[in-house]
Amino acid sequence: MRVDGLLFDKDGTLFDFGATWNGWAAQMITGFAEGDDGLAARIAEALQFDLSAGVFLPESFVIAGTNREAAEAVASVVPQSDVDAIERTLMLAAAEASLAPAVPLAPLMDGFIAQGLKIGVMTNDTEYGARAHLQEAGVVDRFHFIAGFDSGFGAKPDPDPLLAFAQHVSLDPARIAMVGDSSHDLLAGRRAGMQTVAVLTGVAGEAELAPLADVVLPNIGHLPEWLRG
């Protein structure tokens, strides 16, 4: 086996990013705007979201950013808004989003566990959201470690939350693969001394991810073959 542990990003990796978040984001923007089309356009611009197409722009910071960063962007254009209240609204609403797993997750994770691998999730979403989504997908109990940007370890692309996983499962970082769909994921993996696996179920394309990845896969369903090497 190439590794003894796998650390997954969540959105764009375990769950297809566009299928899960584009429609949800459009609804949230409409809700924050309260019927004001001009305000909706300004919120969408702040979030780097194409409102007419209903998709995040490839360069949007939201794709790999934290819930707090998204809340601050909304608050910057909504008059007399409370960033803490917006952050909480986003957290609670995101936990109820309709999920689109990239592949059937339970059998894949069960296979990794059967091979003795330690598996974890590190997302720049909240830990609350991560646990809610993994619970909804029926796999929250499979993971040895679940962390969000607010879990006390920091956020990607810093390596600290990845190293927290390595310490938690008592593995050499070099024997762990960071699996993600964004440059934030892969940069964090490189900085932590881990192997890096890119998947194309997010917004970034192969040309952007390949320079930071040991391998680029269509989705996480191709991991077993790569692991066997």
Side-chain angles (χ1 to χ4, degrees):
M1 295 284 285
R2 293 178 184 268
V3 299
D4 299 311
L6 294 168
L7 183 58
F8 294 93
D9 172 54
K10 179 170 69 71
D11 300 314
T13 303
L14 296 177
F15 303 101
D16 183 280
F17 186 89
T20 297
W21 295 112
N22 283 335
W24 177 89
Q27 291 178 348
M28 294 302 298
I29 290 169
T30 300
F32 283 124
E34 297 182 337
D36 184 332
D37 291 343
L39 180 56
R42 292 192 294 275
I43 296 171
E45 182 178 8
L47 295 173
Q48 297 172 297
F49 185 86
D50 185 333
L51 203 55
S52 59
V55 298
F56 279 99
L57 298 173
E59 65 270 22
S60 176
F61 71 92
V62 177
I63 294 166
T66 67
N67 194 55
R68 182 69 180 189
E69 290 169 335
E72 290 171 345
V74 174
S76 72
V77 295
V78 175
Q80 299 179 326
S81 57
D82 180 337
V83 67
D84 291 331
I86 291 173
E87 183 178 21
R88 180 168 176 78
T89 296
L90 289 172
M91 179 186 74
L92 295 176
E96 301 295 328
S98 297
L99 303 173
V103 300
L105 295 178
L108 184 64
M109 299 305 148
D110 286 344
F112 294 145
I113 293 169
Q115 295 174 76
L117 295 175
K118 302 294 185 181
I119 57 176
V121 174
M122 197 288 131
T123 174
N124 279 356
D125 190 4
T126 63
E127 182 177 335
Y128 174 89
R131 290 186 179 278
H133 293 156
L134 297 172
Q135 179 69 41
E136 176 66 22
V139 293
V140 69
D141 61 330
R142 267 68 164 193
F143 294 95
H144 301 95
F145 178 92
I146 299 171
F149 82 96
D150 55 352
S151 297
F153 307 116
K156 297 171 291 190
D158 291 341
D160 290 351
L162 282 65
L163 294 173
F165 168 68
Q167 182 176 17
H168 184 76
V169 296
S170 301
L171 289 178
D172 179 350
R175 292 293 300 168
I176 297 171
M178 176 67 219
V179 185
D181 67 296
S182 75
S183 58
H184 272 38
D185 300 321
L186 305 178
L187 279 170
R190 287 284 174 92
R191 291 169 178 173
M194 295 180 177
Q195 299 175 51
T196 53
V197 177
V199 291
L200 301 177
T201 39
V203 176
E206 184 171 2
E208 177 182 344
L209 300 176
L212 297 170
D214 295 315
V215 65
V216 179
L217 303 176
N219 58 56
I220 57 173
H222 293 259
L223 277 169
E225 181 180 358
W226 176 77
L227 287 169
R228 290 191 293 270

